[in-house]
Amino acid sequence: MILGLFLGVSSCGQNPPPESRTDKLAKSLCQCTSELLVLNQKAQSSPDSLAFQQIEQAFNKAKACSQALGIKKEEQPVLETSLQSFCPDLMQYPELIQELTSQ
């Protein structure tokens, strides 16, 4: 009885497993592209040259940011699975993901 109580109490204090590398990469890539996605949505509703200049600047920042993450080609399939969970808005643009994560 005491052993069962001890096991029950000790299991309550367990820490969740550490986050996987691909989950961390997915969250980071989502942060890298957040400004770009917002600007892209704005440009769809009101196309003007300033919006496209801002998109180009945001893309260049997102590309530099994603390259700094050091995403390996073999991580791509698992990364896309994590992106489904952590950044579904970005998953609407598979060509963008491919371009941002290619080295």
Side-chain angles (χ1 to χ4, degrees):
M1 179 68 173
I2 295 176
L3 179 60
L5 180 61
F6 176 74
L7 289 176
V9 171
S10 66
S11 66
C12 291
Q14 291 179 349
N15 292 332
E19 192 171 43
S20 71
R21 172 173 161 74
T22 53
D23 286 354
K24 288 179 186 177
L25 288 173
K27 288 179 180 180
S28 295
L29 187 58
C30 191
Q31 289 174 341
C32 289
T33 59
S34 63
E35 179 183 3
L36 178 60
L37 294 177
V38 168
L39 290 171
N40 190 41
Q41 289 174 345
K42 282 183 183 178
Q44 290 175 1
S45 63
S46 64
D48 64 25
S49 61
L50 179 59
F52 289 111
Q53 289 174 354
Q54 291 172 329
I55 288 173
E56 181 181 16
Q57 291 171 350
F59 173 80
N60 291 334
K61 283 199 270 185
K63 179 73 174 173
C65 180
S66 64
Q67 286 181 341
L69 295 174
I71 300 168
K72 299 173 185 147
K73 185 174 180 129
E74 61 271 12
E75 293 174 316
Q76 188 81 24
V78 181
L79 174 64
E80 289 179 6
T81 301
S82 291
L83 282 170
Q84 288 284 354
S85 299
F86 298 111
C87 200
D89 291 342
L90 181 57
M91 286 303 296
Q92 295 175 18
Y93 304 97
E95 300 86 17
L96 177 62
I97 295 169
Q98 186 66 37
E99 191 166 345
L100 291 174
T101 57
S102 64
Q103 298 291 327

